[in-house]
Amino acid sequence: MESDGTRKFVCRGCGACCRVPGLVRLAEGDAEALAGFLGMEVGAFVNAYAELTPSRTGLALRGDPEGPCPFLGADNRCRVYAARPRQCRDYPERWRSAAIEAVCAGRRNEG
């Protein structure tokens, strides 16, 4: 427990957050980091793994919006963890999603 009586978030590695329907938006620098991690040119990465968001204001990971993240491995581990998008890095400290929190054991056990 933290000194104020709340529990700190501890990821359980279940992969549930990576299966919740929705978009993984790519922030500035994300495509470059992911491409480099995968040993690809940025253009090739974008063609293979990204698409315009519905609002056409940015990029998101390509995939089935109702399915798991395309980088979620069968072992529930992120295959690009070291270069994961900012949206993924910022959860749960900087953004929250009711859909993810409903399935996230780490969030339910915080406090």
Side-chain angles (χ1 to χ4, degrees):
M1 278 198 172
E2 299 294 302
S3 60
D4 66 359
T6 62
R7 295 182 197 149
K8 183 170 172 46
F9 174 78
V10 176
C11 178
R12 305 298 168 91
C14 68
C17 59
C18 301
R19 287 187 192 84
V20 171
L23 292 177
V24 175
R25 297 177 189 280
L26 299 177
E28 186 175 332
D30 284 345
E32 292 81 2
L34 286 159
F37 183 82
L38 295 169
M40 301 174 75
E41 295 292 327
V42 176
F45 170 83
V46 169
N47 286 335
Y49 293 107
E51 62 190 3
L52 278 174
T53 59
S55 64
R56 304 182 66 77
T57 58
L59 293 176
L61 288 181
R62 182 183 313 248
D64 178 357
E66 298 297 317
C69 173
F71 294 115
L72 180 65
D75 60 355
N76 290 327
R77 300 288 186 219
C78 177
R79 296 184 298 121
V80 295
Y81 187 83
R84 67 196 184 282
R86 182 180 303 154
Q87 178 176 323
C88 303
R89 290 189 317 263
D90 285 351
Y91 180 80
E93 300 301 323
R94 297 198 177 169
W95 71 273
R96 304 249 167 120
S97 160
I100 291 175
E101 291 187 25
V103 298
C104 178
R107 292 291 299 158
R108 286 194 306 269
N109 291 319
E110 270 187 295

